[in-house]
Amino acid sequence: MGAAPPEGDMYRRPLVAALGRISVGPGWHCVDLGAGSGEVSLRLAALVGSTGRVYSVDSSAALCDELARSAAAAGTSQVVTLVQAAEDLALPEEVDLVYCRFLLMHVAEPLAVLRRMAAVTRPGGYVVAQEPITTAGRVGGVPLSMPDARHPDIGALLPGLAVACGCRLVSAWAEAPAGAGQGPVASYLEELSGVDPGEDAIVLPSLVTVIAQKQAAP
Ligand SMILES: C[S@@+](CC[C@H](N)C(=O)[O-])C[C@H]1O[C@@H](n2cnc3c(N)ncnc32)[C@H](O)[C@@H]1O
């Protein structure tokens, strides 16, 4: 459960769009929840700079170790790795942004995790989640599925869940990389699912982005 996504981040574009939409910048304190090998954490570290902080949280100690090594190699002392279950997320401070990607699809109770994310966010700060609708993917027109995931289509519920956790919905959209023949989209699909698409048309699973803002206390 919860394997890191394949090399070559096919979902970089929605990630960059989401972080740009809320203007993540120098000095921000952020959480990358379910950080995996740290692609998102390192991007956040570059944006927040040496005056910011990125808590990279994952339940896997081995992945946290790997991420800490990558952060050290990149000279980013602002990255702090924490081995924690998302359900028990606890930090020494409230932060400006709590982000997750390809995490809620694997946890038992996505809404409970979103509530933890909101709990550690400062009032006016952001909760951002990017989760797939895996069955919206197609290879040669045939739907994909990821039966190993607990909630393979959690993306379809994400905007409602963000509202249910008490946040204000700022923006939400879905986006899917597509291609045909050999290339990065085919390689990504093959690593993800073991399916060799040959020359078939590929639409990878839609990624739903939700940007939500924690309300200030009344
Ligand atoms: C598919 S990977 C996504 C990695 C990264 N977010 C990305 O987009 O590249 C899912 C990650 O979530 C972690 N994970 C799964 N369940 C978790 C939980 N309950 N609490 C914390 N981390 C969890 C896994 O160890 C894994 O690193």
Side-chain angles (χ1 to χ4, degrees):
M1 184 259 288
E7 289 300 311
D9 188 353
M10 291 307 304
Y11 292 96
R12 187 180 298 119
R13 199 167 75 170
L15 171 65
V16 170
L19 301 181
R21 174 73 174 75
I22 58 173
S23 304
V24 177
W28 278 49
H29 287 203
C30 307
V31 176
D32 178 15
L33 188 59
S37 51
E39 192 135 6
V40 175
S41 292
L42 293 182
R43 184 167 292 272
L44 284 170
L47 291 173
V48 305
S50 57
T51 58
R53 183 160 304 144
V54 178
Y55 295 101
S56 302
V57 180
D58 204 283
S59 55
S60 161
L63 285 173
C64 281
D65 285 349
E66 184 185 329
L67 202 161
R69 280 194 296 274
S70 304
T76 51
S77 58
Q78 60 271 41
V79 174
V80 176
T81 55
L82 295 174
V83 181
Q84 271 182 17
E87 293 79 356
D88 303 325
L89 178 64
L91 297 171
E93 58 170 336
E94 287 187 334
V95 295
D96 303 299
L97 164 67
V98 185
Y99 172 94
C100 74
R101 185 178 72 172
F102 299 123
L103 169 71
L104 301 177
M105 63 188 294
H106 295 299
V107 304
E109 290 186 51
L111 181 56
V113 170
L114 278 165
R115 287 195 167 123
R116 279 310 309 151
M117 293 169 72
V120 301
T121 304
R122 68 164 172 80
Y126 294 96
V127 172
V128 174
Q130 299 195 301
E131 298 287 334
I133 307 174
T134 60
T135 58
R138 296 285 186 278
V139 180
V142 177
L144 284 172
S145 76
M146 274 188 70
D148 290 350
R150 280 183 157 121
H151 309 285
D153 286 348
I154 189 71
L157 303 176
L158 204 49
L161 292 175
V163 172
C165 80
C167 289
R168 180 179 76 85
L169 198 56
V170 174
S171 189
W173 72 92
E175 188 171 339
Q182 293 311 300
V185 178
S187 303
Y188 185 95
L189 176 78
E190 196 168 352
E191 275 188 70
L192 186 71
S193 65
V195 173
D196 174 2
E199 298 304 308
D200 281 344
I202 306 159
V203 181
L204 290 177
S206 299
L207 191 73
V208 176
T209 297
V210 160
I211 298 176
Q213 191 167 31
K214 181 163 171 175
Q215 314 268 33

